Amino acid sequence: MSEPSMVKNMRKELELKNDISNDGNELRRYHGTTVKCRLGRTVQRGKAQDTDDTCRLCTESTCSLCRIIETGFMTNKCRLERYQRYGKGIYTSQCSSKASEYVRYNASVRETGGFLACLSAVCLSDEISFSSSGKNTYKVMLICKVLAGRPYKTTGKDKHRRQAPKGYHSVQGIPGEDLNYDELVVYDDDAIIPDYIILYTSSG
C-alpha cells in the first residue's frame, strides 16, 4: 500500500467508480452514418420551402440517420464491415474527422424526397454543393451522448466481438498499431442517444 504506483492506481479506480455511479461515465462522441435524404437543406437562405415535407424525417428505410433520430440506435441493425475492429457494435469517436469517414451520403441533385429542415439561417446556404458526379457533397453527422461505463481499453482488435468483456461496459480502441484515432464502441442500445446534428460540406 505504500507503493506510489499502487496508490495512484487505486485513486484512478475510485475516480472511475465515482464517475460510473454518478452519470454512467457519460461522454460526447461523434457518429457518422448513411444518409439517403437531404436532411437539413433548403434552397434559399433563411426560408424553408414546402414546410410540411421539410420538417419531417424521410421514410427511406435505408436512411440510417433518420431512422436513428426516429427510433434511437439499434445494435441489431448494425452491419459488420471489414474495417470494424471490435465486432458488431455502435462505433463513435472523439475525433470528428474519424467519424466523417463513415458518413455515406447518397442523395443526388435529382432527389426531391422529404427531409428535416434546419430553420436556422446559420445552417443554410444560397446554393447546394454538388460534385461532378451529381452527388450532393453536403453531409450530416451526429454528436451523441454515450454511457461508456467501465471501458475496456485495447490497442488490438477483435472482429468477432458481440459485447464488452466481462466486467466492462464498452470497448475503447486506443491509437497505436493500425488505429490512428480513438474509437469507443458500445453494444447496448440504451448506452447511446443522438444529441446534436452537425451540417457540413465535403470536397469529396
mmCIF file with all atom_site columns, all heavy atoms in Angstrom, residues 20-47:
data_model
loop_
_atom_site.group_PDB
_atom_site.id
_atom_site.type_symbol
_atom_site.label_atom_id
_atom_site.label_alt_id
_atom_site.label_comp_id
_atom_site.label_asym_id
_atom_site.label_entity_id
_atom_site.label_seq_id
_atom_site.pdbx_PDB_ins_code
_atom_site.Cartn_x
_atom_site.Cartn_y
_atom_site.Cartn_z
_atom_site.occupancy
_atom_site.B_iso_or_equiv
_atom_site.pdbx_formal_charge
_atom_site.auth_seq_id
_atom_site.auth_comp_id
_atom_site.auth_asym_id
_atom_site.auth_atom_id
_atom_site.pdbx_PDB_model_num
ATOM 1   N N   . ILE A 1 20 ? -18.822 6.358  -12.838 1.00 0.00 ? 20 ILE A N   1
ATOM 2   C CA  . ILE A 1 20 ? -19.825 5.398  -13.287 1.00 0.00 ? 20 ILE A CA  1
ATOM 3   C C   . ILE A 1 20 ? -21.091 5.499  -12.441 1.00 0.00 ? 20 ILE A C   1
ATOM 4   O O   . ILE A 1 20 ? -22.202 5.490  -12.966 1.00 0.00 ? 20 ILE A O   1
ATOM 5   C CB  . ILE A 1 20 ? -19.253 3.964  -13.233 1.00 0.00 ? 20 ILE A CB  1
ATOM 6   C CG1 . ILE A 1 20 ? -18.132 3.809  -14.264 1.00 0.00 ? 20 ILE A CG1 1
ATOM 7   C CG2 . ILE A 1 20 ? -20.348 2.934  -13.502 1.00 0.00 ? 20 ILE A CG2 1
ATOM 8   C CD1 . ILE A 1 20 ? -17.403 2.488  -14.173 1.00 0.00 ? 20 ILE A CD1 1
ATOM 9   N N   . SER A 1 21 ? -20.937 5.624  -11.137 1.00 0.00 ? 21 SER A N   1
ATOM 10  C CA  . SER A 1 21 ? -22.104 5.675  -10.258 1.00 0.00 ? 21 SER A CA  1
ATOM 11  C C   . SER A 1 21 ? -22.862 6.985  -10.395 1.00 0.00 ? 21 SER A C   1
ATOM 12  O O   . SER A 1 21 ? -24.081 7.031  -10.235 1.00 0.00 ? 21 SER A O   1
ATOM 13  C CB  . SER A 1 21 ? -21.672 5.474  -8.800  1.00 0.00 ? 21 SER A CB  1
ATOM 14  O OG  . SER A 1 21 ? -20.810 6.529  -8.392  1.00 0.00 ? 21 SER A OG  1
ATOM 15  N N   . ASN A 1 22 ? -22.158 8.073  -10.706 1.00 0.00 ? 22 ASN A N   1
ATOM 16  C CA  . ASN A 1 22 ? -22.816 9.382  -10.793 1.00 0.00 ? 22 ASN A CA  1
ATOM 17  C C   . ASN A 1 22 ? -23.567 9.566  -12.108 1.00 0.00 ? 22 ASN A C   1
ATOM 18  O O   . ASN A 1 22 ? -24.723 9.980  -12.127 1.00 0.00 ? 22 ASN A O   1
ATOM 19  C CB  . ASN A 1 22 ? -21.791 10.508 -10.627 1.00 0.00 ? 22 ASN A CB  1
ATOM 20  C CG  . ASN A 1 22 ? -21.262 10.585 -9.212  1.00 0.00 ? 22 ASN A CG  1
ATOM 21  O OD1 . ASN A 1 22 ? -21.910 10.146 -8.281  1.00 0.00 ? 22 ASN A OD1 1
ATOM 22  N ND2 . ASN A 1 22 ? -20.073 11.151 -9.060  1.00 0.00 ? 22 ASN A ND2 1
ATOM 23  N N   . ASP A 1 23 ? -22.917 9.299  -13.231 1.00 0.00 ? 23 ASP A N   1
ATOM 24  C CA  . ASP A 1 23 ? -23.569 9.579  -14.517 1.00 0.00 ? 23 ASP A CA  1
ATOM 25  C C   . ASP A 1 23 ? -23.280 8.531  -15.589 1.00 0.00 ? 23 ASP A C   1
ATOM 26  O O   . ASP A 1 23 ? -23.488 8.783  -16.773 1.00 0.00 ? 23 ASP A O   1
ATOM 27  C CB  . ASP A 1 23 ? -23.145 10.960 -15.028 1.00 0.00 ? 23 ASP A CB  1
ATOM 28  C CG  . ASP A 1 23 ? -21.637 11.074 -15.246 1.00 0.00 ? 23 ASP A CG  1
ATOM 29  O OD1 . ASP A 1 23 ? -20.943 10.038 -15.137 1.00 0.00 ? 23 ASP A OD1 1
ATOM 30  O OD2 . ASP A 1 23 ? -21.161 12.185 -15.524 1.00 0.00 ? 23 ASP A OD2 1
ATOM 31  N N   . GLY A 1 24 ? -22.808 7.361  -15.176 1.00 0.00 ? 24 GLY A N   1
ATOM 32  C CA  . GLY A 1 24 ? -22.539 6.318  -16.158 1.00 0.00 ? 24 GLY A CA  1
ATOM 33  C C   . GLY A 1 24 ? -21.310 6.589  -16.990 1.00 0.00 ? 24 GLY A C   1
ATOM 34  O O   . GLY A 1 24 ? -21.129 5.993  -18.040 1.00 0.00 ? 24 GLY A O   1
ATOM 35  N N   . ASN A 1 25 ? -20.443 7.522  -16.532 1.00 0.00 ? 25 ASN A N   1
ATOM 36  C CA  . ASN A 1 25 ? -19.276 7.925  -17.327 1.00 0.00 ? 25 ASN A CA  1
ATOM 37  C C   . ASN A 1 25 ? -19.746 8.423  -18.695 1.00 0.00 ? 25 ASN A C   1
ATOM 38  O O   . ASN A 1 25 ? -19.311 7.950  -19.737 1.00 0.00 ? 25 ASN A O   1
ATOM 39  C CB  . ASN A 1 25 ? -18.288 6.767  -17.479 1.00 0.00 ? 25 ASN A CB  1
ATOM 40  C CG  . ASN A 1 25 ? -16.939 7.237  -18.005 1.00 0.00 ? 25 ASN A CG  1
ATOM 41  O OD1 . ASN A 1 25 ? -16.639 8.422  -18.016 1.00 0.00 ? 25 ASN A OD1 1
ATOM 42  N ND2 . ASN A 1 25 ? -16.125 6.285  -18.453 1.00 0.00 ? 25 ASN A ND2 1
ATOM 43  N N   . GLU A 1 26 ? -20.675 9.375  -18.657 1.00 0.00 ? 26 GLU A N   1
ATOM 44  C CA  . GLU A 1 26 ? -21.279 9.897  -19.891 1.00 0.00 ? 26 GLU A CA  1
ATOM 45  C C   . GLU A 1 26 ? -20.286 10.742 -20.673 1.00 0.00 ? 26 GLU A C   1
ATOM 46  O O   . GLU A 1 26 ? -19.665 11.657 -20.139 1.00 0.00 ? 26 GLU A O   1
ATOM 47  C CB  . GLU A 1 26 ? -22.515 10.728 -19.562 1.00 0.00 ? 26 GLU A CB  1
ATOM 48  C CG  . GLU A 1 26 ? -23.241 11.258 -20.794 1.00 0.00 ? 26 GLU A CG  1
ATOM 49  C CD  . GLU A 1 26 ? -24.457 12.082 -20.440 1.00 0.00 ? 26 GLU A CD  1
ATOM 50  O OE1 . GLU A 1 26 ? -25.417 11.512 -19.894 1.00 0.00 ? 26 GLU A OE1 1
ATOM 51  O OE2 . GLU A 1 26 ? -24.422 13.312 -20.667 1.00 0.00 ? 26 GLU A OE2 1
ATOM 52  N N   . LEU A 1 27 ? -20.152 10.431 -21.960 1.00 0.00 ? 27 LEU A N   1
ATOM 53  C CA  . LEU A 1 27 ? -19.225 11.137 -22.847 1.00 0.00 ? 27 LEU A CA  1
ATOM 54  C C   . LEU A 1 27 ? -19.980 11.624 -24.080 1.00 0.00 ? 27 LEU A C   1
ATOM 55  O O   . LEU A 1 27 ? -21.022 11.074 -24.445 1.00 0.00 ? 27 LEU A O   1
ATOM 56  C CB  . LEU A 1 27 ? -18.091 10.203 -23.279 1.00 0.00 ? 27 LEU A CB  1
ATOM 57  C CG  . LEU A 1 27 ? -17.290 9.526  -22.157 1.00 0.00 ? 27 LEU A CG  1
ATOM 58  C CD1 . LEU A 1 27 ? -16.347 8.488  -22.751 1.00 0.00 ? 27 LEU A CD1 1
ATOM 59  C CD2 . LEU A 1 27 ? -16.513 10.562 -21.359 1.00 0.00 ? 27 LEU A CD2 1
ATOM 60  N N   . ARG A 1 28 ? -19.443 12.648 -24.710 1.00 0.00 ? 28 ARG A N   1
ATOM 61  C CA  . ARG A 1 28 ? -19.994 13.097 -26.001 1.00 0.00 ? 28 ARG A CA  1
ATOM 62  C C   . ARG A 1 28 ? -19.040 12.617 -27.094 1.00 0.00 ? 28 ARG A C   1
ATOM 63  O O   . ARG A 1 28 ? -17.838 12.853 -27.037 1.00 0.00 ? 28 ARG A O   1
ATOM 64  C CB  . ARG A 1 28 ? -20.125 14.619 -26.041 1.00 0.00 ? 28 ARG A CB  1
ATOM 65  C CG  . ARG A 1 28 ? -21.380 15.095 -25.322 1.00 0.00 ? 28 ARG A CG  1
ATOM 66  C CD  . ARG A 1 28 ? -22.018 16.259 -26.065 1.00 0.00 ? 28 ARG A CD  1
ATOM 67  N NE  . ARG A 1 28 ? -23.309 16.583 -25.480 1.00 0.00 ? 28 ARG A NE  1
ATOM 68  C CZ  . ARG A 1 28 ? -23.527 17.631 -24.706 1.00 0.00 ? 28 ARG A CZ  1
ATOM 69  N NH1 . ARG A 1 28 ? -22.542 18.444 -24.409 1.00 0.00 ? 28 ARG A NH1 1
ATOM 70  N NH2 . ARG A 1 28 ? -24.726 17.877 -24.232 1.00 0.00 ? 28 ARG A NH2 1
ATOM 71  N N   . ARG A 1 29 ? -19.603 11.955 -28.094 1.00 0.00 ? 29 ARG A N   1
ATOM 72  C CA  . ARG A 1 29 ? -18.788 11.393 -29.174 1.00 0.00 ? 29 ARG A CA  1
ATOM 73  C C   . ARG A 1 29 ? -19.478 11.607 -30.518 1.00 0.00 ? 29 ARG A C   1
ATOM 74  O O   . ARG A 1 29 ? -20.699 11.720 -30.606 1.00 0.00 ? 29 ARG A O   1
ATOM 75  C CB  . ARG A 1 29 ? -18.554 9.892  -28.942 1.00 0.00 ? 29 ARG A CB  1
ATOM 76  C CG  . ARG A 1 29 ? -17.617 9.554  -27.780 1.00 0.00 ? 29 ARG A CG  1
ATOM 77  C CD  . ARG A 1 29 ? -16.198 10.022 -28.077 1.00 0.00 ? 29 ARG A CD  1
ATOM 78  N NE  . ARG A 1 29 ? -15.242 9.641  -27.041 1.00 0.00 ? 29 ARG A NE  1
ATOM 79  C CZ  . ARG A 1 29 ? -14.921 10.391 -26.013 1.00 0.00 ? 29 ARG A CZ  1
ATOM 80  N NH1 . ARG A 1 29 ? -15.542 11.558 -25.834 1.00 0.00 ? 29 ARG A NH1 1
ATOM 81  N NH2 . ARG A 1 29 ? -14.012 10.006 -25.138 1.00 0.00 ? 29 ARG A NH2 1
ATOM 82  N N   . TYR A 1 30 ? -18.666 11.647 -31.578 1.00 0.00 ? 30 TYR A N   1
ATOM 83  C CA  . TYR A 1 30 ? -19.180 11.798 -32.949 1.00 0.00 ? 30 TYR A CA  1
ATOM 84  C C   . TYR A 1 30 ? -19.553 10.430 -33.531 1.00 0.00 ? 30 TYR A C   1
ATOM 85  O O   . TYR A 1 30 ? -18.903 9.424  -33.248 1.00 0.00 ? 30 TYR A O   1
ATOM 86  C CB  . TYR A 1 30 ? -18.123 12.443 -33.841 1.00 0.00 ? 30 TYR A CB  1
ATOM 87  C CG  . TYR A 1 30 ? -17.737 13.845 -33.458 1.00 0.00 ? 30 TYR A CG  1
ATOM 88  C CD1 . TYR A 1 30 ? -16.583 14.084 -32.710 1.00 0.00 ? 30 TYR A CD1 1
ATOM 89  C CD2 . TYR A 1 30 ? -18.502 14.944 -33.851 1.00 0.00 ? 30 TYR A CD2 1
ATOM 90  C CE1 . TYR A 1 30 ? -16.208 15.373 -32.357 1.00 0.00 ? 30 TYR A CE1 1
ATOM 91  C CE2 . TYR A 1 30 ? -18.137 16.232 -33.508 1.00 0.00 ? 30 TYR A CE2 1
ATOM 92  C CZ  . TYR A 1 30 ? -16.982 16.442 -32.760 1.00 0.00 ? 30 TYR A CZ  1
ATOM 93  O OH  . TYR A 1 30 ? -16.616 17.720 -32.409 1.00 0.00 ? 30 TYR A OH  1
ATOM 94  N N   . HIS A 1 31 ? -20.603 10.438 -34.368 1.00 0.00 ? 31 HIS A N   1
ATOM 95  C CA  . HIS A 1 31 ? -21.009 9.209  -35.054 1.00 0.00 ? 31 HIS A CA  1
ATOM 96  C C   . HIS A 1 31 ? -21.381 9.551  -36.497 1.00 0.00 ? 31 HIS A C   1
ATOM 97  O O   . HIS A 1 31 ? -22.223 10.410 -36.749 1.00 0.00 ? 31 HIS A O   1
ATOM 98  C CB  . HIS A 1 31 ? -22.208 8.572  -34.362 1.00 0.00 ? 31 HIS A CB  1
ATOM 99  C CG  . HIS A 1 31 ? -22.734 7.348  -35.055 1.00 0.00 ? 31 HIS A CG  1
ATOM 100 N ND1 . HIS A 1 31 ? -22.150 6.103  -34.931 1.00 0.00 ? 31 HIS A ND1 1
ATOM 101 C CD2 . HIS A 1 31 ? -23.777 7.186  -35.908 1.00 0.00 ? 31 HIS A CD2 1
ATOM 102 C CE1 . HIS A 1 31 ? -22.808 5.228  -35.657 1.00 0.00 ? 31 HIS A CE1 1
ATOM 103 N NE2 . HIS A 1 31 ? -23.808 5.855  -36.268 1.00 0.00 ? 31 HIS A NE2 1
ATOM 104 N N   . GLY A 1 32 ? -20.755 8.887  -37.440 1.00 0.00 ? 32 GLY A N   1
ATOM 105 C CA  . GLY A 1 32 ? -21.077 9.060  -38.857 1.00 0.00 ? 32 GLY A CA  1
ATOM 106 C C   . GLY A 1 32 ? -21.854 7.864  -39.363 1.00 0.00 ? 32 GLY A C   1
ATOM 107 O O   . GLY A 1 32 ? -21.587 6.723  -38.967 1.00 0.00 ? 32 GLY A O   1
ATOM 108 N N   . THR A 1 33 ? -22.843 8.104  -40.238 1.00 0.00 ? 33 THR A N   1
ATOM 109 C CA  . THR A 1 33 ? -23.660 7.002  -40.720 1.00 0.00 ? 33 THR A CA  1
ATOM 110 C C   . THR A 1 33 ? -24.167 7.291  -42.131 1.00 0.00 ? 33 THR A C   1
ATOM 111 O O   . THR A 1 33 ? -23.809 8.301  -42.742 1.00 0.00 ? 33 THR A O   1
ATOM 112 C CB  . THR A 1 33 ? -24.838 6.749  -39.761 1.00 0.00 ? 33 THR A CB  1
ATOM 113 O OG1 . THR A 1 33 ? -25.486 5.534  -40.125 1.00 0.00 ? 33 THR A OG1 1
ATOM 114 C CG2 . THR A 1 33 ? -25.840 7.904  -39.786 1.00 0.00 ? 33 THR A CG2 1
ATOM 115 N N   . THR A 1 34 ? -25.011 6.418  -42.656 1.00 0.00 ? 34 THR A N   1
ATOM 116 C CA  . THR A 1 34 ? -25.536 6.561  -44.013 1.00 0.00 ? 34 THR A CA  1
ATOM 117 C C   . THR A 1 34 ? -26.712 7.535  -44.037 1.00 0.00 ? 34 THR A C   1
ATOM 118 O O   . THR A 1 34 ? -27.602 7.466  -43.194 1.00 0.00 ? 34 THR A O   1
ATOM 119 C CB  . THR A 1 34 ? -26.000 5.198  -44.560 1.00 0.00 ? 34 THR A CB  1
ATOM 120 O OG1 . THR A 1 34 ? -24.885 4.306  -44.564 1.00 0.00 ? 34 THR A OG1 1
ATOM 121 C CG2 . THR A 1 34 ? -26.530 5.325  -45.979 1.00 0.00 ? 34 THR A CG2 1
ATOM 122 N N   . VAL A 1 35 ? -26.695 8.438  -45.021 1.00 0.00 ? 35 VAL A N   1
ATOM 123 C CA  . VAL A 1 35 ? -27.775 9.413  -45.205 1.00 0.00 ? 35 VAL A CA  1
ATOM 124 C C   . VAL A 1 35 ? -28.329 9.252  -46.619 1.00 0.00 ? 35 VAL A C   1
ATOM 125 O O   . VAL A 1 35 ? -27.582 9.325  -47.587 1.00 0.00 ? 35 VAL A O   1
ATOM 126 C CB  . VAL A 1 35 ? -27.276 10.861 -45.013 1.00 0.00 ? 35 VAL A CB  1
ATOM 127 C CG1 . VAL A 1 35 ? -28.445 11.835 -45.069 1.00 0.00 ? 35 VAL A CG1 1
ATOM 128 C CG2 . VAL A 1 35 ? -26.524 11.003 -43.715 1.00 0.00 ? 35 VAL A CG2 1
ATOM 129 N N   . LYS A 1 36 ? -29.634 9.034  -46.732 1.00 0.00 ? 36 LYS A N   1
ATOM 130 C CA  . LYS A 1 36 ? -30.251 8.835  -48.044 1.00 0.00 ? 36 LYS A CA  1
ATOM 131 C C   . LYS A 1 36 ? -31.157 9.993  -48.452 1.00 0.00 ? 36 LYS A C   1
ATOM 132 O O   . LYS A 1 36 ? -31.734 9.980  -49.527 1.00 0.00 ? 36 LYS A O   1
ATOM 133 C CB  . LYS A 1 36 ? -31.052 7.529  -48.045 1.00 0.00 ? 36 LYS A CB  1
ATOM 134 C CG  . LYS A 1 36 ? -30.197 6.265  -48.001 1.00 0.00 ? 36 LYS A CG  1
ATOM 135 C CD  . LYS A 1 36 ? -29.387 6.115  -49.274 1.00 0.00 ? 36 LYS A CD  1
ATOM 136 C CE  . LYS A 1 36 ? -28.612 4.803  -49.279 1.00 0.00 ? 36 LYS A CE  1
ATOM 137 N NZ  . LYS A 1 36 ? -29.474 3.637  -49.487 1.00 0.00 ? 36 LYS A NZ  1
ATOM 138 N N   . CYS A 1 37 ? -31.321 10.983 -47.568 1.00 0.00 ? 37 CYS A N   1
ATOM 139 C CA  . CYS A 1 37 ? -32.196 12.113 -47.881 1.00 0.00 ? 37 CYS A CA  1
ATOM 140 C C   . CYS A 1 37 ? -31.384 13.405 -47.838 1.00 0.00 ? 37 CYS A C   1
ATOM 141 O O   . CYS A 1 37 ? -30.166 13.365 -47.704 1.00 0.00 ? 37 CYS A O   1
ATOM 142 C CB  . CYS A 1 37 ? -33.366 12.174 -46.898 1.00 0.00 ? 37 CYS A CB  1
ATOM 143 S SG  . CYS A 1 37 ? -32.835 12.520 -45.199 1.00 0.00 ? 37 CYS A SG  1
ATOM 144 N N   . ARG A 1 38 ? -32.064 14.545 -47.936 1.00 0.00 ? 38 ARG A N   1
ATOM 145 C CA  . ARG A 1 38 ? -31.365 15.829 -47.898 1.00 0.00 ? 38 ARG A CA  1
ATOM 146 C C   . ARG A 1 38 ? -31.693 16.557 -46.599 1.00 0.00 ? 38 ARG A C   1
ATOM 147 O O   . ARG A 1 38 ? -32.095 17.709 -46.573 1.00 0.00 ? 38 ARG A O   1
ATOM 148 C CB  . ARG A 1 38 ? -31.745 16.666 -49.115 1.00 0.00 ? 38 ARG A CB  1
ATOM 149 C CG  . ARG A 1 38 ? -31.405 15.955 -50.414 1.00 0.00 ? 38 ARG A CG  1
ATOM 150 C CD  . ARG A 1 38 ? -31.273 16.890 -51.578 1.00 0.00 ? 38 ARG A CD  1
ATOM 151 N NE  . ARG A 1 38 ? -32.481 17.677 -51.815 1.00 0.00 ? 38 ARG A NE  1
ATOM 152 C CZ  . ARG A 1 38 ? -32.630 18.482 -52.854 1.00 0.00 ? 38 ARG A CZ  1
ATOM 153 N NH1 . ARG A 1 38 ? -31.659 18.603 -53.726 1.00 0.00 ? 38 ARG A NH1 1
ATOM 154 N NH2 . ARG A 1 38 ? -33.727 19.174 -53.022 1.00 0.00 ? 38 ARG A NH2 1
ATOM 155 N N   . LEU A 1 39 ? -31.466 15.846 -45.522 1.00 0.00 ? 39 LEU A N   1
ATOM 156 C CA  . LEU A 1 39 ? -31.754 16.368 -44.191 1.00 0.00 ? 39 LEU A CA  1
ATOM 157 C C   . LEU A 1 39 ? -31.060 17.704 -43.949 1.00 0.00 ? 39 LEU A C   1
ATOM 158 O O   . LEU A 1 39 ? -29.872 17.843 -44.175 1.00 0.00 ? 39 LEU A O   1
ATOM 159 C CB  . LEU A 1 39 ? -31.269 15.355 -43.152 1.00 0.00 ? 39 LEU A CB  1
ATOM 160 C CG  . LEU A 1 39 ? -31.522 15.707 -41.698 1.00 0.00 ? 39 LEU A CG  1
ATOM 161 C CD1 . LEU A 1 39 ? -32.862 15.163 -41.255 1.00 0.00 ? 39 LEU A CD1 1
ATOM 162 C CD2 . LEU A 1 39 ? -30.421 15.120 -40.826 1.00 0.00 ? 39 LEU A CD2 1
ATOM 163 N N   . GLY A 1 40 ? -31.840 18.694 -43.514 1.00 0.00 ? 40 GLY A N   1
ATOM 164 C CA  . GLY A 1 40 ? -31.254 19.970 -43.136 1.00 0.00 ? 40 GLY A CA  1
ATOM 165 C C   . GLY A 1 40 ? -31.067 20.973 -44.242 1.00 0.00 ? 40 GLY A C   1
ATOM 166 O O   . GLY A 1 40 ? -30.574 22.069 -43.995 1.00 0.00 ? 40 GLY A O   1
ATOM 167 N N   . ARG A 1 41 ? -31.459 20.638 -45.473 1.00 0.00 ? 41 ARG A N   1
ATOM 168 C CA  . ARG A 1 41 ? -31.192 21.558 -46.579 1.00 0.00 ? 41 ARG A CA  1
ATOM 169 C C   . ARG A 1 41 ? -32.438 22.299 -47.020 1.00 0.00 ? 41 ARG A C   1
ATOM 170 O O   . ARG A 1 41 ? -33.531 21.749 -47.089 1.00 0.00 ? 41 ARG A O   1
ATOM 171 C CB  . ARG A 1 41 ? -30.675 20.783 -47.795 1.00 0.00 ? 41 ARG A CB  1
ATOM 172 C CG  . ARG A 1 41 ? -29.257 20.352 -47.671 1.00 0.00 ? 41 ARG A CG  1
ATOM 173 C CD  . ARG A 1 41 ? -28.346 21.468 -47.282 1.00 0.00 ? 41 ARG A CD  1
ATOM 174 N NE  . ARG A 1 41 ? -27.663 22.052 -48.400 1.00 0.00 ? 41 ARG A NE  1
ATOM 175 C CZ  . ARG A 1 41 ? -26.600 22.831 -48.285 1.00 0.00 ? 41 ARG A CZ  1
ATOM 176 N NH1 . ARG A 1 41 ? -26.121 23.097 -47.083 1.00 0.00 ? 41 ARG A NH1 1
ATOM 177 N NH2 . ARG A 1 41 ? -26.023 23.339 -49.320 1.00 0.00 ? 41 ARG A NH2 1
ATOM 178 N N   . THR A 1 42 ? -32.275 23.585 -47.306 1.00 0.00 ? 42 THR A N   1
ATOM 179 C CA  . THR A 1 42 ? -33.262 24.347 -48.061 1.00 0.00 ? 42 THR A CA  1
ATOM 180 C C   . THR A 1 42 ? -32.518 25.100 -49.143 1.00 0.00 ? 42 THR A C   1
ATOM 181 O O   . THR A 1 42 ? -31.309 25.277 -49.075 1.00 0.00 ? 42 THR A O   1
ATOM 182 C CB  . THR A 1 42 ? -34.022 25.362 -47.176 1.00 0.00 ? 42 THR A CB  1
ATOM 183 O OG1 . THR A 1 42 ? -33.090 26.305 -46.667 1.00 0.00 ? 42 THR A OG1 1
ATOM 184 C CG2 . THR A 1 42 ? -34.752 24.670 -46.038 1.00 0.00 ? 42 THR A CG2 1
ATOM 185 N N   . VAL A 1 43 ? -33.239 25.542 -50.144 1.00 0.00 ? 43 VAL A N   1
ATOM 186 C CA  . VAL A 1 43 ? -32.590 26.172 -51.290 1.00 0.00 ? 43 VAL A CA  1
ATOM 187 C C   . VAL A 1 43 ? -32.276 27.630 -51.024 1.00 0.00 ? 43 VAL A C   1
ATOM 188 O O   . VAL A 1 43 ? -31.240 28.137 -51.421 1.00 0.00 ? 43 VAL A O   1
ATOM 189 C CB  . VAL A 1 43 ? -33.479 26.032 -52.546 1.00 0.00 ? 43 VAL A CB  1
ATOM 190 C CG1 . VAL A 1 43 ? -32.855 26.763 -53.714 1.00 0.00 ? 43 VAL A CG1 1
ATOM 191 C CG2 . VAL A 1 43 ? -33.675 24.560 -52.881 1.00 0.00 ? 43 VAL A CG2 1
ATOM 192 N N   . GLN A 1 44 ? -33.153 28.330 -50.326 1.00 0.00 ? 44 GLN A N   1
ATOM 193 C CA  . GLN A 1 44 ? -32.959 29.759 -50.097 1.00 0.00 ? 44 GLN A CA  1
ATOM 194 C C   . GLN A 1 44 ? -32.584 30.028 -48.643 1.00 0.00 ? 44 GLN A C   1
ATOM 195 O O   . GLN A 1 44 ? -33.114 29.409 -47.738 1.00 0.00 ? 44 GLN A O   1
ATOM 196 C CB  . GLN A 1 44 ? -34.238 30.528 -50.453 1.00 0.00 ? 44 GLN A CB  1
ATOM 197 C CG  . GLN A 1 44 ? -34.586 30.449 -51.939 1.00 0.00 ? 44 GLN A CG  1
ATOM 198 C CD  . GLN A 1 44 ? -35.828 31.260 -52.245 1.00 0.00 ? 44 GLN A CD  1
ATOM 199 O OE1 . GLN A 1 44 ? -36.521 31.721 -51.339 1.00 0.00 ? 44 GLN A OE1 1
ATOM 200 N NE2 . GLN A 1 44 ? -36.095 31.457 -53.518 1.00 0.00 ? 44 GLN A NE2 1
ATOM 201 N N   . ARG A 1 45 ? -31.666 30.959 -48.456 1.00 0.00 ? 45 ARG A N   1
ATOM 202 C CA  . ARG A 1 45 ? -31.205 31.278 -47.118 1.00 0.00 ? 45 ARG A CA  1
ATOM 203 C C   . ARG A 1 45 ? -32.353 31.777 -46.239 1.00 0.00 ? 45 ARG A C   1
ATOM 204 O O   . ARG A 1 45 ? -33.063 32.695 -46.588 1.00 0.00 ? 45 ARG A O   1
ATOM 205 C CB  . ARG A 1 45 ? -30.110 32.348 -47.189 1.00 0.00 ? 45 ARG A CB  1
ATOM 206 C CG  . ARG A 1 45 ? -29.565 32.729 -45.820 1.00 0.00 ? 45 ARG A CG  1
ATOM 207 C CD  . ARG A 1 45 ? -28.489 33.767 -45.954 1.00 0.00 ? 45 ARG A CD  1
ATOM 208 N NE  . ARG A 1 45 ? -27.356 33.259 -46.701 1.00 0.00 ? 45 ARG A NE  1
ATOM 209 C CZ  . ARG A 1 45 ? -26.367 32.548 -46.170 1.00 0.00 ? 45 ARG A CZ  1
ATOM 210 N NH1 . ARG A 1 45 ? -26.404 32.251 -44.880 1.00 0.00 ? 45 ARG A NH1 1
ATOM 211 N NH2 . ARG A 1 45 ? -25.365 32.130 -46.911 1.00 0.00 ? 45 ARG A NH2 1
ATOM 212 N N   . GLY A 1 46 ? -32.503 31.115 -45.068 1.00 0.00 ? 46 GLY A N   1
ATOM 213 C CA  . GLY A 1 46 ? -33.482 31.584 -44.089 1.00 0.00 ? 46 GLY A CA  1
ATOM 214 C C   . GLY A 1 46 ? -34.917 31.256 -44.411 1.00 0.00 ? 46 GLY A C   1
ATOM 215 O O   . GLY A 1 46 ? -35.814 31.656 -43.711 1.00 0.00 ? 46 GLY A O   1
ATOM 216 N N   . LYS A 1 47 ? -35.164 30.501 -45.504 1.00 0.00 ? 47 LYS A N   1
ATOM 217 C CA  . LYS A 1 47 ? -36.535 30.170 -45.862 1.00 0.00 ? 47 LYS A CA  1
ATOM 218 C C   . LYS A 1 47 ? -36.658 28.663 -46.042 1.00 0.00 ? 47 LYS A C   1
ATOM 219 O O   . LYS A 1 47 ? -35.867 28.045 -46.733 1.00 0.00 ? 47 LYS A O   1
ATOM 220 C CB  . LYS A 1 47 ? -36.951 30.869 -47.167 1.00 0.00 ? 47 LYS A CB  1
ATOM 221 C CG  . LYS A 1 47 ? -37.012 32.389 -47.058 1.00 0.00 ? 47 LYS A CG  1
ATOM 222 C CD  . LYS A 1 47 ? -37.474 32.995 -48.371 1.00 0.00 ? 47 LYS A CD  1
ATOM 223 C CE  . LYS A 1 47 ? -37.544 34.524 -48.290 1.00 0.00 ? 47 LYS A CE  1
ATOM 224 N NZ  . LYS A 1 47 ? -37.982 35.108 -49.559 1.00 0.00 ? 47 LYS A NZ  1
#
